[in-house]
Each structure stands twice: as C-alpha cells, then as structure tokens.
Amino acid sequence: MSELFDRVDALVASRSPLPPPAERKRLRTAHGLTLDEVATALEVRRATVSGWESSTKATEPRGKEREAYARLLKQLAELYPADANTSTPAQDTAVPATFASTPAPAPEERPEARDPASEAAAMTTQQNTEPASTPEPAPAAASRPARTARPSTTSHRPAARKAAPANTPAGADPRFANGPLAVVDVDADGQVLAYCTGGLVLDVPAKSLPSLVDWTLKEARLGQPKLSGPGKDADPLIVLTSSALERYGLPAALTEEERLAGRIPEGHKVIKQLTRAQWKLTKRGFGPWARIYRPAQGAERACVQLCIPSWNALDTRHWGDAVQLPPAELARVLGVYASRVMTPRGSTAVTGLELMTALHPPTRASEPDATGKRHSEHNPGSLGKDPVDCAPCEAPDGHPLLKDLPRFHVRGPAEKLFEEAYDWARPMTDAECMLRHLVGIDVNMAFAAGANGLNVGLGAPTHVTNPVFDPKLPGSWLVDLSHVDLSKVKVGKEWVELDGSLLPSPFTPKGERPEGPAWYATPTVAYAVELGYEVRPLEAWVRRENGRYLDGWYQQLRDAYLATMADLGVDADLAPEDFLAAMDGYKERDPELAIVVSAVKATVKGGLGKLRERPRGEGWRPGEPWRALSRPTWRPDIRAAVISRTRINLHRKIVKHAAFTGQYPVAVLSDCVVYAANGESPLDFLPYRDGKPLPGGFKLGINPGLVKHEGTQSVLWGEEVRERFNAPELNLARYIKDGTVTDVDNGE
C-alpha cells in the first residue's frame, strides 16, 4: 500500500504549481545560485533552466524535474518572501494539457474607426453569395501556458461549464471566452459534448445541425478577434467526430462519388434542414470543410465553419494521425494551430492563402465624408479586391491568355517563366567515393525564409522593351544568362575560382546551364549581377506598384513554428551540438505538437502553391478560365519570386561553402543538400570554428533559413543504389532521410 501511496504522491507532485518565470529568477538570484548550479542539481542543461526563467519564451518542467524544481522554489520562497508591494501574483501552471483557451487581445485600434470599418467592408464583401474571409490573431510565443496533465476523455470527464474557463487571460475578448473552436462528440452515455481549448468541456443541447449552428453562434462563445485593423473577427470552427455525425444525421464517411464531388448531394436531408432554417452553404456545398452562414446584416456576421475529419478534412500528409485522436487531444492540436497561425479555413494550403488575406484585407474604411459616413476603399499594401491578369510569360499552360497558341505547342524558356525548386544531382568524384558517408542537411522553413523581406508586385504588370535591370523592381525579365561562368564568380567583393562542373546552375531547376534568353524572376537576375556578371534584358513585365506583402505572413508562421518547436525542447539559441541532440527524436516527446509542426510547414508550402492554383476538374478545357482565376490572390508571379529567392539563397550558401572548404554538393532537392563526408554528422563537414559558422554559409539551428540534419547514409549505399537502377545521376537527396528508395526515374 505504501508503494501505491508513493506513486500517487509522485503523480500529484509532478503537477506542482510554479510561480511565474520572473519570480523563479528572483528566488534563484536572491540565494546567489547560478544557472549552472541549479542545472547540475536538477540534472538538466543550463539552457533548460534559463528557459524556465525566461519572461519572453518560458518553458515548463515536467515529471520528476518539475517536482524537484517546485521543491527548490518553495524552500527559496520561505527564505526570501517577496515584497508585498512588488511581488508577482502566484501563477498556477498545473492546468489541463493544452494551450491558451482564448487568444491574445486584438491589436490596438482606433475605437472610432472600428464599427464603420466593419460596416464599410461588409458593404463590399457581402455582395457575393459567400461570406468574406475572417482572420484571427495568434498570440506570441511568450503567452504559451504550461503543458501538463490532459483532461480525461473517459466518462469521468471535467464538469461541463458554460462560463469562460477560470484561467481566461485578463483582457481577452469575452465574446470568444471559450476559444476559437470546439470538437463536438457524443460520449458513452449519449451526451453531446463540445471539447474546447484549455480543457473546457461544454454540454451541447442541440438536437439537429441547424440548432447546433444556432447554439454555436449564440451560446458557445467561440471565435477569435481579427488579425488586422480592417479585417474581420474569425468565425467559430466546429469539428464533428464520427459519433456526432451519426447524431446529426450525416454519414460517417463519404461514398466514392461524394468524395470525388467533394460534397454530399444537395438533396440530403440535413441540407434540407439547413435550408428550412434559412441557413446557406457556400458554392462548395456541404463537404469536409463546410461553411454555413446567413447574409451579413451590417457588421453582424452569422457564419460557422465545420470540419469533418472522417471525410478527409485533415490530410494525413500534413495532419498525421490527428483524425484518430480522442476529442480532447484533437481540440488541443487544432487549438494550438489556431492560436498560433489562424483558425483553419480548409486544407493547410487554403489556410495559408487565407492568412495572407487576413493580414492584408483588400478593403478598409475611408475617412468620414462630408456627411460623416465612411465608405469602403482600397487597403494600401493589399492585393485589392479585384483580380489582375498575369503576364503572358507567367501564365501556366492552358491559361486564357494562351488560347491562340497552336494546339500541342510547347513553350520554351524564352516564352515561359519557369522558376521552380532544385532537383539536381551529379556523379560522385573519385575523391568523394573514397569518403565514408553521405550527409544531408535540410533548410528549415526554406520557402518561408525566401518570402521574408521580399518585394513583390501588388498590381498589374507593365510591359517594357530593352529595360535597364533594376533589382528592386519586381517582375519577369527576358535575359540571356548563358555567359555566367560558375568557375569564376564574385563572393562578396572578391573574385574566387571554383570547379563549376561540380555546381548546379542557379538559373534552372535542373541545375543545367542556360543556352540562351529565358524568362526569370527579379531575384534570379539580381543574383547574376551579384556573381559579377552584366545583364542586358531584352524585355520585361514589371510591377511598379509593389511592397513586402508577405512579411507579416512569414512572421506569423515563423513564430508559430519556433514556439511549437520550443515546446518540443528545440530552442532557437542552442549550441550546434545541443541543437543536433535536441532534434534527435523531438517528435516522440509530444506527438500531438509534432502534428502542429507538420501542419505549420504545410501551410507555408501549400499557401504559396495556391498562388498558382491549377484547374481542378469541373469540366475545364484548355483556354477557358477556371475558378481560381477570379481570386485577387491568384498570383503566379509572387509564387515564382518566392521560389526564385529560395533557390538563390540556397545556391549562395553552396557557393560560399565551396569557396571556403573546397566541398561541393552531390545532390540538391528543393531545400535539402547532400555532401560526402568522413563522419555521420553535419559538424563533420560544416566549417564551424569556436562554435561559430561560416558567415553567409550553412548554420545549424531551428530558425527559418538555418539547417538541420536530414539524414546520413553510406557512400556505398549511394553508389549501390545508382548502379542498381542504372541511374548515375539519381537524386540521392530524395532518399537520404531513411535510405528507402522509391519512385526511381533513372535520372530523367
């Protein structure tokens, strides 16, 4: 019995409340303890203790570490009580395992502009049959509460409540006191429950789907404040489990015909119920991500987003096994994503695109006119509310701009802008074959880093002939770069000689040297100038109206990524050796947060891909417009510019590394680079000196643009694979992670 009591005592102690980070630091310093002394006593790293005390990115101890740390702080608090006038209120971090149950307050705005702005925006956006996008803010990483015990998902559930959680942050919007979303499920007793963020569980009285929508809007207090001043508050998200689908008369899974159509039939009884209750569906119908709404009345919105995981709403490529999680855990995963990115509006790709619009709404309220009324006007820095045509060279095959081309005509580089990620490899040299290992490094959030600080076009393109190249002017340029010789290039201000045959060309995705004039985005042409070569464009399509449209988008996704990785034990300030150790098995520390990391990364790539969305069936024929062309966010030029800059950023690091070390990559695939080395670690070939990396070269770290270890295989493995498939230039970067070889294309 004593052993049983000991285990119970240890379980309780592992959830011991802790004072706020600032108080933890005060107590340690009051006793004259160093970080190293505390770390040694608790058998953790110095950086770990520092993280526990950080006021900007505090992390929380767990298990026995938490028990010991709480004991230390309790004894120090008895020795050094805080002054009553200056002490920080005690913070109980032993809350259910989830993140903020409510978002941080919306950015400060002028009160007098708020309501007219919403009304003016509503006048323009609600002319369509679909509701406008609804952004919501993501709190900074500093607002992360502790992760401790998770709420029970058995019949011994937390008491259902209808008020805001006790730990609702002061100043949070009371309209959204219960968080951005809820997972609706039916328990073993037949009770319908809504699992919210923060461990909150609500009883759901709704007996039908229309009444569930009514309850969500009138009683659930779900949603998030807007991300930007001219934007709109987020609509609540309701996730329906299989048992909830059955309760509300919906199929647990779609038939093959329904899956291909992306919706259930319009004659379904539930859709008829919604129609009788005067609810509407968007043009996409009732599918995995259904939106149910009524036309807005002034600034008042009535819209609920549904997510149905069993209908493949959560793609396993991006959300892993989220669909199999119990309701409370699924609420946690989606809640973390919603609080740090935005409430999902569809797939990660759709959400990535919606995030751009949420941060830069197309319209805003004007200043009052003579009568005191405000009107909707263009929001500077946005893409506007009307789509613009791309340049002919930027148009993908089948675009209406190309309908007069001969049938089966294949456009070459002088007719088509082709900015894509790397897929390049070469045979290994004799010297490389004598080494033991192939080591892959991968750039973190490479395309997000490529978007950071990038000047992109906001308006329509202007055609010019024989222009003088301007590296600050976004656009597409027809120029001959075949004269750029990688054997002699400028690195900084100095000319260096390299073995150009061992380097990919920075101007083509396959790494081949251009053979004549071709269309390039501005970052690619600017890099040719940076390498020391003259460029003379023949013509160009430039965008005089431009700006750093993607900066806020990058920052939101970067912060979400870094905050979640920090929760997984991978901080941004780790030494190289500690970083590699922290990355080893980080997903197993908290598989649910690992799902969030995957979803954030997919949001980056998917959002950029949506900028050039292609036709998706619907009876489309080449030369006809497709649905995506009606969006102002259909901008293939912005996608091309981001990919161009990402590829150039990688090539710059490769050249810098080659100039300094004489080492050349064996293969490059998108953001992964493979080198031959004598050791298994990136530290065996990256030129660190006294812990400092090569300036401008590859640097280990979790920040976007820095690199992590992708995988290591033997040189013998690489040669055997290439020989087995008779592919001397097989891209080994594709298989370096685990050595499993699939989809071999013989280098073609």
Side-chain angles (χ1 to χ4, degrees), residues 16 409 599 627 732 736:
S16 300
H409 175 75
R627 179 182 295 181
L732 299 175
I736 195 70

Coordinates of all heavy atoms in Angstrom, one line a residue, residues 16 409 599 627 732 736:
S16 N 2.9 20.0 -9.7 CA 3.1 21.0 -8.7 C 3.0 22.4 -9.3 O 3.6 22.7 -10.4 CB 4.4 20.9 -8.0 OG 4.6 19.7 -7.4
H409 N 1.4 23.1 -78.8 CA 2.6 23.9 -78.8 C 3.3 23.8 -77.4 O 2.6 23.9 -76.4 CB 2.3 25.4 -79.1 CG 3.5 26.3 -79.0 ND1 4.5 26.3 -79.9 CD2 3.8 27.2 -78.0 CE1 5.4 27.2 -79.5 NE2 5.0 27.8 -78.4
A599 N 1.8 20.7 -39.7 CA 0.8 21.5 -40.3 C 1.3 22.9 -40.6 O 0.9 23.5 -41.6 CB -0.4 21.5 -39.4
R627 N -11.9 28.5 -61.8 CA -12.4 29.2 -60.7 C -11.3 30.1 -60.0 O -11.6 31.2 -59.6 CB -13.0 28.2 -59.7 CG -13.5 28.9 -58.4 CD -14.1 27.9 -57.4 NE -15.2 27.2 -58.0 CZ -15.9 26.3 -57.3 NH1 -15.5 25.9 -56.0 NH2 -16.9 25.7 -57.8
L732 N 20.1 11.5 -54.9 CA 20.1 10.8 -53.6 C 19.5 11.6 -52.5 O 19.2 11.1 -51.4 CB 21.6 10.5 -53.2 CG 22.3 9.5 -54.2 CD1 23.7 9.3 -53.9 CD2 21.6 8.2 -54.3
I736 N 17.8 10.3 -48.8 CA 18.8 10.4 -47.8 C 18.3 10.2 -46.4 O 19.0 9.8 -45.5 CB 19.6 11.7 -47.9 CG1 21.0 11.6 -47.1 CG2 18.8 12.9 -47.4 CD1 22.0 10.7 -47.7

